[in-house]
Short mmCIF file of all heavy atoms in Angstrom, two decimals:
data_model
loop_
_atom_site.label_atom_id
_atom_site.label_comp_id
_atom_site.label_asym_id
_atom_site.label_seq_id
_atom_site.Cartn_x
_atom_site.Cartn_y
_atom_site.Cartn_z
N PRO G 439 293.33 -116.44 149.51
CA PRO G 439 293.25 -115.16 148.92
C PRO G 439 291.80 -114.73 148.72
O PRO G 439 290.89 -115.49 148.42
CB PRO G 439 293.95 -115.35 147.62
CG PRO G 439 294.86 -116.44 147.76
CD PRO G 439 294.07 -117.32 148.69
N SER G 440 291.51 -113.40 148.84
CA SER G 440 290.20 -112.84 148.52
C SER G 440 289.97 -113.18 147.05
O SER G 440 290.78 -113.25 146.25
CB SER G 440 290.27 -111.32 148.79
OG SER G 440 290.41 -111.10 150.11
N TYR G 441 288.60 -113.29 146.81
CA TYR G 441 288.20 -113.57 145.48
C TYR G 441 288.54 -112.39 144.47
O TYR G 441 288.39 -111.27 144.89
CB TYR G 441 286.67 -113.84 145.39
CG TYR G 441 286.23 -114.34 144.09
CD1 TYR G 441 286.28 -115.72 143.83
CD2 TYR G 441 285.68 -113.55 143.02
CE1 TYR G 441 285.88 -116.22 142.59
CE2 TYR G 441 285.29 -114.09 141.84
CZ TYR G 441 285.36 -115.45 141.64
OH TYR G 441 285.01 -115.91 140.37
N GLY G 442 289.07 -112.74 143.31
CA GLY G 442 289.42 -111.73 142.36
C GLY G 442 289.30 -112.12 140.98
O GLY G 442 288.89 -113.25 140.63
N PRO G 443 289.65 -111.23 140.07
CA PRO G 443 289.47 -111.42 138.57
C PRO G 443 290.39 -112.59 138.09
O PRO G 443 290.19 -113.11 136.97
CB PRO G 443 289.77 -110.14 137.93
CG PRO G 443 290.61 -109.44 138.85
CD PRO G 443 290.21 -109.87 140.28
N GLU G 444 291.46 -112.92 138.71
CA GLU G 444 292.36 -113.93 138.29
C GLU G 444 292.46 -115.00 139.36
O GLU G 444 293.47 -115.08 140.16
CB GLU G 444 293.78 -113.26 138.05
CG GLU G 444 293.77 -112.26 137.00
CD GLU G 444 295.18 -111.66 136.67
OE1 GLU G 444 296.09 -112.14 137.32
OE2 GLU G 444 295.30 -110.86 135.82
N PRO G 445 291.50 -115.83 139.46
CA PRO G 445 291.47 -116.86 140.47
C PRO G 445 292.59 -117.89 140.41
O PRO G 445 292.97 -118.27 139.26
CB PRO G 445 290.07 -117.53 140.32
CG PRO G 445 289.69 -117.31 138.94
CD PRO G 445 290.30 -115.96 138.60
N GLY G 446 293.10 -118.29 141.48
CA GLY G 446 294.19 -119.35 141.47
C GLY G 446 293.65 -120.69 142.02
O GLY G 446 292.48 -120.88 142.02
N GLY G 447 294.65 -121.56 142.32
CA GLY G 447 294.32 -122.85 142.75
C GLY G 447 293.52 -122.96 143.98
O GLY G 447 292.55 -123.81 144.10
N VAL G 448 293.74 -122.13 144.98
CA VAL G 448 292.97 -122.16 146.19
C VAL G 448 291.50 -121.79 145.89
O VAL G 448 290.57 -122.36 146.39
CB VAL G 448 293.60 -121.06 147.25
CG1 VAL G 448 292.66 -121.15 148.42
CG2 VAL G 448 294.96 -121.62 147.70
N THR G 449 291.32 -120.68 145.10
CA THR G 449 289.98 -120.28 144.75
C THR G 449 289.24 -121.33 144.01
O THR G 449 288.02 -121.63 144.33
CB THR G 449 290.02 -119.00 143.86
OG1 THR G 449 290.64 -117.94 144.62
CG2 THR G 449 288.63 -118.54 143.46
N ALA G 450 289.94 -122.01 143.09
CA ALA G 450 289.21 -123.08 142.30
C ALA G 450 288.80 -124.23 143.17
O ALA G 450 287.80 -124.86 143.01
CB ALA G 450 290.16 -123.55 141.20
N SER G 451 289.75 -124.58 144.14
CA SER G 451 289.42 -125.73 145.05
C SER G 451 288.36 -125.37 145.96
O SER G 451 287.49 -126.24 146.23
CB SER G 451 290.73 -126.08 145.82
OG SER G 451 291.73 -126.49 145.03
N VAL G 452 288.25 -124.16 146.52
CA VAL G 452 287.18 -123.71 147.42
C VAL G 452 285.90 -123.85 146.61
O VAL G 452 284.85 -124.32 147.03
CB VAL G 452 287.39 -122.24 147.91
CG1 VAL G 452 286.11 -121.82 148.58
CG2 VAL G 452 288.55 -122.28 148.90
N GLU G 453 285.86 -123.24 145.41
CA GLU G 453 284.64 -123.23 144.58
C GLU G 453 284.23 -124.63 144.30
O GLU G 453 282.98 -124.93 144.34
CB GLU G 453 284.94 -122.49 143.32
CG GLU G 453 283.77 -122.27 142.37
CD GLU G 453 284.11 -121.38 141.23
OE1 GLU G 453 284.61 -121.94 140.17
OE2 GLU G 453 283.78 -120.25 141.27
N TYR G 454 285.07 -125.53 143.98
CA TYR G 454 284.75 -126.90 143.61
C TYR G 454 284.14 -127.68 144.95
O TYR G 454 283.10 -128.27 144.86
CB TYR G 454 285.93 -127.68 143.17
CG TYR G 454 285.60 -129.17 142.75
CD1 TYR G 454 284.98 -129.40 141.52
CD2 TYR G 454 285.89 -130.21 143.66
CE1 TYR G 454 284.73 -130.68 141.13
CE2 TYR G 454 285.66 -131.50 143.23
CZ TYR G 454 285.01 -131.76 142.11
OH TYR G 454 284.68 -133.07 141.67
N ALA G 455 284.80 -127.39 146.07
CA ALA G 455 284.27 -128.01 147.29
C ALA G 455 282.93 -127.61 147.66
O ALA G 455 282.04 -128.39 148.12
CB ALA G 455 285.30 -127.78 148.37
N VAL G 456 282.66 -126.28 147.52
CA VAL G 456 281.38 -125.67 147.91
C VAL G 456 280.22 -125.96 146.89
O VAL G 456 279.17 -126.37 147.29
CB VAL G 456 281.52 -124.26 148.23
CG1 VAL G 456 280.15 -123.62 148.63
CG2 VAL G 456 282.50 -123.99 149.43
N SER G 457 280.61 -125.75 145.62
CA SER G 457 279.58 -125.82 144.64
C SER G 457 279.29 -127.18 144.04
O SER G 457 278.19 -127.52 143.72
CB SER G 457 280.02 -124.83 143.46
OG SER G 457 280.10 -123.55 143.83
N VAL G 458 280.35 -128.03 143.95
CA VAL G 458 280.18 -129.33 143.43
C VAL G 458 279.96 -130.41 144.55
O VAL G 458 279.11 -131.25 144.52
CB VAL G 458 281.31 -129.72 142.46
CG1 VAL G 458 281.16 -131.12 141.98
CG2 VAL G 458 281.39 -128.72 141.29
N LEU G 459 280.97 -130.39 145.47
CA LEU G 459 280.96 -131.43 146.50
C LEU G 459 279.93 -131.09 147.61
O LEU G 459 279.60 -131.94 148.35
CB LEU G 459 282.36 -131.53 147.08
CG LEU G 459 283.41 -132.05 146.19
CD1 LEU G 459 284.80 -132.09 146.87
CD2 LEU G 459 283.06 -133.41 145.53
N LYS G 460 279.51 -129.80 147.63
CA LYS G 460 278.47 -129.46 148.67
C LYS G 460 278.95 -129.65 150.04
O LYS G 460 278.12 -130.24 150.88
CB LYS G 460 277.15 -130.14 148.35
CG LYS G 460 276.60 -130.00 146.92
CD LYS G 460 276.17 -128.55 146.67
CE LYS G 460 275.55 -128.42 145.25
NZ LYS G 460 275.13 -126.98 144.82
N VAL G 461 280.13 -129.34 150.44
CA VAL G 461 280.52 -129.51 151.88
C VAL G 461 279.67 -128.69 152.71
O VAL G 461 279.25 -127.66 152.33
CB VAL G 461 282.04 -129.12 152.01
CG1 VAL G 461 282.95 -130.02 151.19
CG2 VAL G 461 282.30 -127.72 151.61
N ASN G 462 279.53 -129.22 153.95
CA ASN G 462 278.75 -128.51 154.95
C ASN G 462 279.54 -127.58 155.79
O ASN G 462 278.98 -126.70 156.45
CB ASN G 462 277.98 -129.54 155.79
CG ASN G 462 277.10 -130.45 154.95
OD1 ASN G 462 277.08 -131.60 155.15
ND2 ASN G 462 276.21 -129.85 154.25
N ASP G 463 280.80 -127.87 155.90
CA ASP G 463 281.69 -127.07 156.82
C ASP G 463 282.96 -126.80 156.18
O ASP G 463 283.54 -127.56 155.36
CB ASP G 463 281.92 -127.94 158.11
CG ASP G 463 280.73 -128.23 158.92
OD1 ASP G 463 280.29 -127.39 159.66
OD2 ASP G 463 280.09 -129.29 158.66
N ILE G 464 283.53 -125.61 156.44
CA ILE G 464 284.92 -125.28 155.99
C ILE G 464 285.69 -124.87 157.35
O ILE G 464 285.24 -124.09 158.13
CB ILE G 464 284.96 -124.01 155.10
CG1 ILE G 464 284.18 -124.36 153.80
CG2 ILE G 464 286.35 -123.72 154.81
CD1 ILE G 464 284.17 -123.30 152.79
N VAL G 465 286.82 -125.58 157.48
CA VAL G 465 287.72 -125.29 158.63
C VAL G 465 288.99 -124.59 158.14
O VAL G 465 289.62 -125.14 157.17
CB VAL G 465 288.11 -126.53 159.32
CG1 VAL G 465 289.06 -126.22 160.51
CG2 VAL G 465 286.87 -127.33 159.84
N ILE G 466 289.32 -123.45 158.65
CA ILE G 466 290.67 -122.89 158.41
C ILE G 466 291.45 -123.13 159.68
O ILE G 466 291.14 -122.67 160.76
CB ILE G 466 290.66 -121.39 158.12
CG1 ILE G 466 289.79 -121.14 156.77
CG2 ILE G 466 291.96 -120.82 158.00
CD1 ILE G 466 289.70 -119.71 156.36
#
Side-chain angles (χ1 to χ4, degrees):
S440 298
Y441 190 84
E444 297 181 3
V448 174
T449 298
S451 296
V452 168
E453 187 173 80
Y454 183 77
V456 176
S457 299
V458 178
L459 298 177
K460 305 292 185 183
V461 296
N462 299 129
D463 299 274
I464 299 179
V465 179
I466 295 182

